Amino acid sequence: MTLFVDMDEVIADTYGEHIKLYNKNFNANLTKTDCLGYDVWQKVSENHRESIRNHANQIGFFRNLTPIKDSQTVLKELAIKHNVFIASAAMQHPNSLKEKSDWLDEFFPFIPWQNRILCGHKHILRGDILIDDRSRNLKTFEGRSILFTSPHNVNTQDYERVDSWLELRDKLL
């Protein structure tokens, strides 16, 4: 099978990084639980929202993300059995293209550069499975769509959902 795997909020914890930076910059105590059902910027005061939106433009933001729990182990197992591609929107923020590539080199070296699709829109993807945290990407995919749970999408319905990489392993291996 050909699998496309998103980066942000599927293998890389961007949500947690936004919260960490927000708490550091504003001496706050925001948690993922506080934000359930929303993007982080939607759960802070209006005068702090632009700061969160600018995190992704800061040098090092994408390079310093933490891998999602069990993603490295399970993705390595999937890559042995299936044709795995990383498919990530990487064109919107100037630094993300290089930083995402460098991050993948460090944390997912078993996914070769030839299997990395750093793009704009994902509607061009054609394969068997797309694993993503954003329903807008899954909506146009013609294969099997799997929604990876993230705090912002807990209320999203109408898609097959997985809550962890271990659950994904059980479904695909």
Side-chain angles (χ1 to χ4, degrees):
M1 287 192 298
T2 298
L3 282 67
F4 297 107
V5 180
D6 179 39
M7 282 185 72
D8 300 323
E9 284 313 290
V10 176
I11 62 172
D13 187 7
T14 50
Y15 202 92
E17 187 67 11
H18 281 298
I19 290 174
K20 183 176 105 181
L21 290 172
Y22 175 76
N23 286 340
K24 179 182 171 192
N25 293 339
F26 294 102
N27 196 25
N29 293 308
L30 192 67
T31 68
K32 286 183 178 183
T33 302
D34 296 331
C35 301
L36 289 178
Y38 298 91
D39 285 311
V40 176
W41 67 268
Q42 295 174 301
K43 295 303 287 182
V44 301
S45 64
E46 198 165 320
N47 59 331
H48 292 170
R49 290 179 178 180
E50 194 63 28
S51 171
I52 291 174
R53 288 188 183 127
N54 283 327
H55 288 164
N57 292 322
Q58 296 173 7
I59 293 173
F61 178 80
F62 292 100
R63 185 64 185 93
N64 296 319
L65 299 175
T66 302
I68 298 285
K69 184 177 186 217
D70 300 314
S71 61
Q72 293 165 290
T73 303
V74 176
L75 199 55
K76 189 170 191 173
E77 293 170 7
L78 287 169
I80 291 168
K81 186 173 180 183
H82 302 293
N83 202 11
V84 173
F85 291 84
I86 301 299
S88 182
M91 305 309 291
Q92 182 179 3
H93 305 287
N95 304 314
S96 70
L97 186 67
K98 176 157 179 29
E99 289 186 9
K100 285 183 175 192
S101 182
D102 290 346
W103 188 87
L104 287 166
D105 286 344
E106 179 179 349
F107 294 106
F108 296 85
F110 52 88
I111 304 289
W113 66 267
Q114 297 91 335
N115 287 38
R116 299 175 187 175
I117 303 166
L118 302 175
C119 58
H121 292 290
K122 295 182 186 175
H123 67 274
I124 62 166
L125 299 175
R126 300 289 180 264
D128 298 297
I129 297 174
L130 172 59
I131 304 160
D132 206 301
D133 65 302
R134 296 282 177 184
S135 59
R136 68 175 176 254
N137 295 323
L138 299 172
K139 184 168 43 170
T140 59
F141 189 68
E142 295 175 3
R144 180 178 174 190
S145 296
I146 299 176
L147 182 69
F148 196 90
T149 298
S150 173
H152 70 82
N153 71 25
V154 295
N155 298 320
T156 302
Q157 298 180 4
D158 300 327
Y159 293 97
E160 179 180 1
R161 177 187 290 275
V162 293
D163 295 325
S164 71
W165 274 92
L166 297 180
E167 185 179 346
L168 198 54
R169 173 198 278 152
D170 291 343
K171 285 182 178 274
L172 301 179
L173 289 175

